[in-house]
Amino acid sequence: VLRHPSKSLVVVETLKKFVEIIEQLESCELDCGESNELLNRVVACVQALPIEDRTPAGLLWLATNRSVRQTLEFFRALDALGLGLLVTGATSNTIAKRMRAVIRRIVDGDCLDNPKSEIFLTDAEKRRVRERLSKPIGPKSRFIRPLLLRLNAEMLDPEIPTYFPTKVTLEHILPQRPSPRSEWMKKIPDGAKRQELSQLLGNFTILTSKMNPRASNFDFHKKREKIFGTSESNVFPLTAELVKYDDWTEAEIRERHQQLTGMARHILKV
């Protein structure tokens, strides 16, 4: 910039744009003149990702005056990339490095046009995502909470603003450690199969943190009545849908598992 004063104008103009759009980006209230609602729903999903390095790429993209169609495509790709990397188990350093590569693509002008752009998951990463979604998910998996919140957002009625509550607890519908005398032991007597089913994506849901943690071991019909059908649970379509099930056996778990993994693969473009 010091050697080429004309470049300082570019820097100043870009910074001005940053200042103008940073609040819109953080509040998910971009004003692009058209398709604002659809775009801002996707932006809200990106901003909800537990990734610190997601904002610079979005900010730089918006400062380049792209079309609304391209901007929607960009944030959908960024949403899939960020969540996809979490599912693969990528470290914070790996994610930060990947986001810097996305920024370089934006600067070079081929972020969306080049099939090898770092904003897209690689074939190996896509295979890893499909594999991790299909198998049991351990309690320490970093991606399960953001994935469930993202699925919940996908299920919201378009008339309802996208939201990502921070005070939620994860719930295994089939408990991981049911009481020895519970109905769960009769429905699924095989311990190994019960453990596998309890950790499949289809067996997870989310609840408000106000819910009584002791309710986790209730039998399904009691859970459906006391937890899933309450007004507090109805704010989560991911949870409210459980009232439609008459029972919760291996068949229902695998059915919902296919439903949720299909939705996740659509979001992640895998």
Side-chain angles (χ1 to χ4, degrees):
V1 171
L2 292 175
R3 292 196 204 98
H4 306 281
S6 62
K7 291 186 177 181
S8 67
L9 296 176
V10 177
V11 172
V12 171
E13 288 303 314
T14 302
L15 288 177
K16 283 182 179 178
K17 292 178 182 177
F18 282 1
V19 173
E20 291 171 1
I21 62 180
I22 184 62
E23 288 187 4
Q24 295 180 31
L25 180 61
E26 291 184 341
S27 64
C28 307
E29 295 180 349
L30 297 175
D31 184 6
C32 298
E34 56 178 305
S35 303
N36 281 346
E37 184 176 339
L38 180 58
L39 173 59
N40 284 319
R41 292 181 78 86
V42 180
V43 170
C45 295
V46 173
Q47 290 299 93
L49 289 170
I51 298 174
E52 295 181 357
D53 306 276
R54 70 197 184 289
T55 300
L59 190 58
L60 182 58
W61 178 269
L62 291 170
T64 58
N65 291 323
R66 307 299 178 105
S67 70
V68 176
R69 180 189 61 78
Q70 289 176 315
T71 299
L72 181 59
E73 184 181 352
F74 171 82
F75 278 102
R76 279 175 171 163
L78 195 61
D79 177 35
L81 174 66
L83 187 56
L85 290 176
L86 289 176
V87 174
T88 65
T91 65
S92 297
N93 286 339
T94 298
I95 294 174
K97 183 178 179 181
R98 186 65 165 269
M99 292 300 173
R100 289 196 295 271
V102 171
I103 288 174
R104 287 195 296 272
R105 288 287 184 182
I106 297 172
V107 173
D108 293 341
D110 65 345
C111 186
L112 295 177
D113 300 330
N114 192 327
K116 295 184 179 180
S117 172
E118 286 80 1
I119 200 169
F120 303 121
L121 294 171
T122 65
D123 290 341
E125 288 167 341
K126 290 178 180 179
R127 285 194 297 272
R128 176 65 171 156
V129 168
R130 291 194 294 268
E131 178 185 350
R132 296 204 75 182
L133 290 178
S134 66
K135 293 184 177 180
I137 301 171
K140 295 184 179 180
S141 295
R142 181 185 175 195
F143 71 86
I144 184 60
R145 180 184 294 270
L147 176 61
L148 290 174
L149 287 170
R150 180 63 182 87
L151 291 173
N152 185 72
E154 191 75 4
M155 297 171 71
L156 285 170
D157 188 289
E159 298 297 319
I160 300 176
T162 306
Y163 57 87
F164 288 84
T166 55
K167 295 182 178 180
V168 297
T169 58
L170 305 185
E171 172 73 7
H172 293 80
I173 305 164
L174 162 64
Q176 292 182 290
R177 291 177 291 276
S179 169
R181 296 183 179 180
S182 71
E183 287 295 320
W184 296 114
M185 304 296 278
K186 298 176 183 177
K187 289 180 180 178
I188 310 174
D190 186 297
K193 176 171 285 189
R194 193 170 57 246
Q195 184 66 18
E196 175 202 354
L197 292 172
S198 72
Q199 294 183 339
L200 288 179
L201 179 60
N203 189 56
F204 281 90
T205 194
I206 52 178
L207 300 172
T208 64
S209 55
K210 295 180 182 179
M211 287 295 180
N212 189 339
R214 289 178 298 178
S216 293
N217 282 326
F218 283 171
D219 293 330
F220 177 72
H221 293 92
K222 192 172 182 179
K223 277 190 174 185
R224 187 179 62 180
E225 176 187 352
K226 301 289 186 182
I227 303 178
F228 305 146
T230 65
S231 58
E232 288 184 355
S233 294
N234 284 338
V235 301
F236 304 127
L238 183 71
T239 304
E241 69 154 2
L242 292 167
V243 299
K244 73 182 183 184
Y245 288 94
D246 294 326
D247 206 348
W248 199 249
T249 65
E250 179 177 357
E252 283 81 13
I253 294 173
R254 294 197 183 277
E255 175 191 330
R256 187 167 180 266
H257 180 70
Q258 292 301 318
Q259 173 197 347
L260 295 187
T261 53
M263 191 184 306
R265 289 178 62 171
H266 172 72
I267 294 169
L268 297 171
K269 305 180 188 301
V270 299

